[in-house]
Amino acid sequence: MNWHHWEHGVLTLNLHVQPKASKDEWAGLHGERLKLRIKAAPIDGKANQHLIAFIANEFAVSKSACKLISGESGREKRIAISSPKKLPSLPDSLHFDISL
């Protein structure tokens, strides 16, 4: 399993999300998932809402173009991004092997 999958204009990310971080940031790999730290606390779905907003901003798409596929109540999440407009800067040694 790779931490991302690109097919038919949809980018799927396999993430390990750490809530209540000091800042929002891509943090490297966590096993076979891309680790993402977010500031929001996991209370009443606020972390998921914040996650979707962060992903939408990073990939220059609307929030409706981002869908939480799995992991609503856990740290291991899968997010689908329809027609991303840009790719975010990731930590060294990580990159997307796709072109938009």
Side-chain angles (χ1 to χ4, degrees):
M1 178 173 82
N2 197 349
W3 56 269
H4 72 281
H5 179 73
W6 174 251
E7 187 172 12
H8 304 298
V10 176
L11 178 63
T12 303
L13 300 178
N14 297 308
L15 300 175
H16 176 84
V17 179
Q18 176 191 332
K20 292 177 30 176
S22 60
K23 64 181 179 175
D24 296 330
E25 66 180 345
W26 301 105
L29 288 180
H30 182 85
E32 291 187 358
R33 293 180 176 267
L34 181 60
K35 185 172 183 178
L36 175 59
R37 295 183 180 118
I38 58 171
K39 296 185 286 188
I43 300 170
D44 298 329
K46 289 184 179 164
N48 286 337
Q49 293 171 3
H50 185 86
L51 171 65
I52 294 294
F54 177 78
I55 295 285
N57 184 58
E58 288 284 286
F59 290 88
V61 297
S62 66
K63 289 188 277 186
S64 63
C66 302
K67 180 180 177 188
L68 181 61
I69 299 170
S70 65
E72 188 170 324
S73 62
R75 290 182 177 213
E76 307 294 315
K77 300 185 184 292
R78 290 185 71 219
I79 304 276
I81 306 152
S82 297
S83 303
K85 306 282 188 279
K86 72 171 189 160
L87 297 173
S89 296
L90 297 177
D92 291 342
S93 79
L94 292 177
H95 64 280
F96 291 96
D97 54 0
I98 63 173
S99 60
L100 300 180

